[in-house]
């Protein structure tokens, strides 16, 4: 479907590399001159701006980590005087110091272009009504999609999160055609619309869902519940927010806006750059941003990059659906457990992806419980059947994880829904 910036989105590989090279060389000079931690990191590695002659030299540059940003909070990585900045946004983290990102007007323009590309790729035009219920405020979801929606020319509903009843009223009364929110909230809106008998009144054709991990099965459930085509969108505050990459109609991964954000995959333990189609940690370098231009930022997100031709005609490198984070791994009784493994078992056995993992430590031993919501149909089953289901789930989890959780089936809609990112893990062991 529609391109927002066709020339860039379909640019040949050589031309794109030349553009990235030119931009990186300039960016390295900018950060070396204006960002003290980068100058120090480069000096420590014995690298000078002149050593970076093109994008192929990016491996010579140091990485940046979330800890670097925390240590330098709030202004350490700022590359321009505050008088040139017009906005801050911040990460959604609840522990420790937040990361604060700064934007010039140009940086906001770059960010909103990414979101506009995402909306156009989902079929958005100036004929559409775009309902944005990502949170507005410090979180980048609302402001980013709002700006992208304006750029495409959609009639924009800046709903923000919360008040599901009002969301559904606006969505139906104003005939919203594009929905932007987290996938877990989209699933909840689908359930609520069904409960209120509003499903037939929905005019949605596309949903742009991101900010948290979701599965193919969840995509299919949401598409069915809301009668739309669901597109993945990725981003992080440190790089700009949503729109770093976005999905096209092929739905096989997200095209990276690599004219602004150069992607790499590295081996998280050695830092070595990995070839295309190899799983590892995603790293981004901002090659056009002015105020907060992070280089080789380690996202901790795990995926792979591909340049296989895409049927949409875009040549932008694609990143596959996120496969987890280097830091969301739980270690329970010595065994590595990823929430995505639990989700795979659930959806494989026909459960909605509404679950809660509760980990605790009692008498020096880890306790591990997975609470799983039943569908309405399952809930009306006899107790015997419910017990059988629990046993089946337990067997599925044991074979996937290698350890057995306590599986508790709970009534439909009893696990608290989040209007933003879903909370899937409560680890009481951390003090
Ligand atoms: O979540 C920005 C965003 C807003 C993206 C709206 C998409 C839509 P942060 O709060 O800084 O920013 O969180 C960034 O969220 O490193 C990923 O771990 C996760 N994440 C973002 N998009 C996806 C996605 C926003 N499509 C962190 N799939 C990232 C899986 C995602 N995880």
């Amino acid at each position: 479907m529609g391109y927002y910036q066709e020339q860039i989105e379909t640019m040949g590989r050589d031309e794109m590399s030349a553009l990235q090279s030119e931009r990186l060389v300039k960016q390295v000079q900018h950060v070396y001159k204006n960002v003290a931690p980068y100058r120090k990191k480069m000096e420590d590695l014995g690298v000078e701006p002149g050593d970076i002659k093109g994008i192929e030299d990016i491996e010579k540059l140091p990485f940046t980590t979330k800890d670097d940003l925390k240590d330098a909070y709030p202004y350490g990585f700022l590359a321009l005087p505050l008088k040139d900045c017009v906005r801050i946004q911040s990460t959604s983290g609840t522990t420790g110091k937040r990361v604060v990102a700064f934007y010039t007007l140009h940086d906001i323009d770059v960010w909103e272009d990414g979101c506009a590309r995402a909306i156009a790729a989902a079929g958005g035009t100036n004929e559409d009504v775009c309902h944005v219920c990502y949170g507005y405020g410090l979180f980048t979801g609302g402001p980013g999609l709002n700006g992208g929606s304006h750029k495409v020319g959609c009639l924009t509903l800046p709903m923000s999160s919360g008040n599901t009843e009002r969301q559904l009223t606006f969505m139906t009364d104003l005939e919203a055609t594009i929905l932007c929110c987290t996938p877990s909230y989209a699933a909840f809106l689908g359930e609520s619309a069904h409960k209120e008998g509003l499903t037939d009144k929905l005019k949605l054709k596309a949903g742009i869902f991101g900010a948290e991990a979701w599965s193919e099965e969840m995509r299919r459930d949401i598409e069915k519940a809301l009668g739309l085509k669901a597109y993945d969108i990725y981003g992080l505050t440190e790089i700009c927010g949503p729109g770093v990459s976005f999905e096209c109609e092929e739905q096989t991964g997200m095209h990276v806006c690599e004219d602004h954000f150069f992607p790499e995959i590295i081996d998280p333990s050695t830092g070595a750059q990995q070839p295309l189609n190899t799983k590892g940690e995603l790293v981004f370098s901002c090659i056009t941003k002015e105020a907060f231009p992070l280089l080789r930022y380690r996202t901790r997100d795990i995926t792979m990059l591909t340049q296989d031709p895409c049927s949409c005609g875009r040549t932008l490198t694609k990143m596959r659906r996120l496969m987890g984070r280097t830091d969301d791994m739980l270690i329970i009784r010595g065994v590595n457990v990823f929430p995505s493994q639990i989700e795979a078992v659930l959806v494989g056995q026909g459960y909605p992806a509404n679950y809660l993992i509760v980990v605790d430590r009692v008498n020096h031993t880890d306790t591990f419980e997975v609470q799983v919501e039943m569908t309405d149909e399952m809930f009306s089953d006899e107790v015997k059947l419910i017990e059988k289901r629990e046993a089946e789930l337990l067997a599925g989890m044991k074979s996937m994880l290698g350890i057995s959780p306590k599986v508790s089936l709970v009534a439909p809609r009893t696990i608290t829904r989040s209007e933003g990112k879903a909370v899937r893990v409560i680890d009481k062991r951390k003090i």
Side-chain angles (χ1 to χ4, degrees):
M1 278 191 241
Y3 302 120
Y4 177 67
Q5 288 167 317
E6 180 168 355
Q7 199 234 338
I8 292 281
E9 293 177 57
T10 60
M11 188 174 263
R13 184 52 39 202
D14 289 349
E15 206 184 338
M16 178 58 78
S17 297
L19 182 68
Q20 290 168 331
S21 291
E22 183 195 317
R23 290 178 167 180
L24 178 70
V25 168
K26 242 171 100 186
Q27 190 67 298
V28 170
Q29 287 160 2
H30 174 52
V31 302
Y32 189 84
K33 185 159 160 238
N34 297 306
V35 183
Y38 276 132
R39 197 162 46 247
K40 166 132 197 349
K41 273 174 180 274
M42 285 175 65
E43 279 167 5
D44 288 348
L45 286 178
V47 184
E48 291 188 358
D51 296 331
I52 310 300
K53 299 192 173 66
I55 201 71
E56 62 286 354
D57 292 324
I58 199 156
E59 268 192 287
K60 296 181 182 159
L61 291 169
F63 289 116
T64 317
T65 64
K66 202 167 197 136
D67 285 340
D68 292 332
L69 302 185
K70 282 181 181 158
D71 293 345
Y73 175 86
Y75 301 123
F77 278 83
L78 184 63
L80 286 178
L82 277 177
K83 69 174 171 47
D84 294 332
C85 300
V86 296
R87 177 92 71 81
I88 69 157
Q89 303 283 159
S90 179
T91 52
S92 45
T94 46
T95 51
K97 274 202 184 111
R98 283 167 169 266
V99 171
V100 181
F102 301 84
Y103 303 68
T104 61
L105 271 180
H106 163 271
D107 297 338
I108 291 181
D109 200 36
V110 164
W111 172 27
E112 292 180 349
D113 277 350
C115 292
R117 289 179 194 176
I119 294 171
T125 68
N126 58 4
E127 307 277 341
D128 282 293
V129 177
C130 183
H131 182 118
V132 184
C133 46
Y134 286 113
Y136 281 62
L138 285 171
F139 180 55
T140 53
L145 270 307
N146 195 93
S149 173
H150 281 184
K151 284 201 169 202
V152 172
C154 303
L155 176 62
T156 310
L157 295 180
M159 300 298 299
S160 195
S161 55
N163 199 337
T164 302
E165 199 185 314
R166 190 183 58 189
Q167 300 279 0
L168 289 171
T169 306
F170 270 82
M171 202 180 290
T172 46
D173 288 356
L174 293 161
E175 305 194 336
T177 50
I178 299 179
L179 173 65
C180 306
C181 61
T182 56
S184 48
Y185 194 54
F188 182 53
L189 283 169
E191 275 175 39
S192 309
H194 179 72
K195 212 167 90 203
E196 302 299 326
L198 291 172
T199 310
D200 289 347
K201 292 215 174 85
L202 294 174
K203 296 280 190 294
L204 296 170
K205 64 175 190 190
I208 302 179
F209 306 134
E212 64 181 7
W214 53 313
S215 59
E216 272 313 304
E217 290 79 3
M218 190 161 170
R219 179 191 327 249
R220 263 175 260 129
D221 285 351
I222 297 172
E223 289 188 332
K224 208 163 120 211
L226 290 170
L228 48 69
K229 186 158 174 163
Y231 297 81
D232 205 352
I233 183 168
Y234 169 86
L236 62 168
T237 316
E238 295 90 325
I239 301 304
C240 68
V244 171
S245 66
F246 60 95
E247 223 170 25
C248 62
E249 69 260 24
E250 208 185 79
Q251 295 180 311
T252 53
M254 295 168 275
H255 290 285
V256 178
C257 294
E258 57 174 311
D259 50 322
H260 299 298
F261 315 115
F262 183 77
E264 294 172 83
I265 292 289
I266 61 160
D267 176 330
S269 45
T270 64
Q273 206 183 57
Q274 301 296 300
L276 292 170
N277 303 308
T278 309
K279 199 167 146 181
E281 181 179 346
L282 184 61
V283 170
F284 280 110
S285 296
C286 299
I287 53 177
T288 54
K289 273 175 62 184
E290 297 174 336
F292 197 65
L294 300 187
L295 292 182
R296 303 200 84 199
Y297 183 67
R298 294 186 58 160
T299 63
R300 306 190 208 181
D301 291 320
I302 300 168
T303 183
M304 56 171 83
L305 297 174
T306 171
Q307 288 176 351
D308 295 348
C310 186
S311 57
C312 74
R314 286 180 186 79
T315 48
L316 297 174
T317 301
K318 246 196 272 191
M319 52 183 265
R320 296 286 183 212
R321 176 186 283 293
L322 257 66
M323 301 162 183
R325 284 179 59 80
T326 56
D327 58 357
D328 75 353
M329 186 179 77
L330 290 156
I331 303 180
I332 305 173
R333 291 177 225 140
V335 177
N336 298 348
V337 173
F338 286 93
S340 54
Q341 295 174 298
I342 292 178
E343 190 165 327
V345 175
L346 294 183
V347 290
Q349 295 196 17
Y351 291 85
N354 294 320
Y355 64 95
L356 188 63
I357 301 167
V358 186
V359 190
D360 202 351
R361 187 159 288 170
V362 180
N363 297 331
H364 307 297
T365 307
D366 291 337
T367 61
F368 174 26
E369 181 186 4
V370 183
Q371 297 174 9
V372 181
E373 238 178 49
M374 287 181 273
T375 59
D376 284 317
E377 297 80 60
M378 292 173 181
F379 193 51
S380 58
D381 287 340
E382 306 165 11
V383 176
K384 259 209 159 120
L385 203 56
I386 292 180
E387 281 171 2
K388 186 169 163 264
R389 285 183 173 284
E390 255 172 4
E392 278 167 6
L393 256 188
L394 183 62
M397 292 205 192
K398 188 166 180 211
S399 102
M400 171 72 93
L401 307 171
I403 55 169
S404 303
K406 173 175 183 282
V407 174
S408 311
L409 288 180
V410 300
R413 292 173 289 281
T414 46
I415 293 178
T416 312
R417 300 295 194 273
S418 161
E419 287 149 1
K421 302 189 190 221
V423 177
R424 304 283 192 211
V425 180
I426 297 181
D427 191 344
K428 298 183 183 163
R429 296 172 302 180
K430 288 184 196 137
I431 300 158

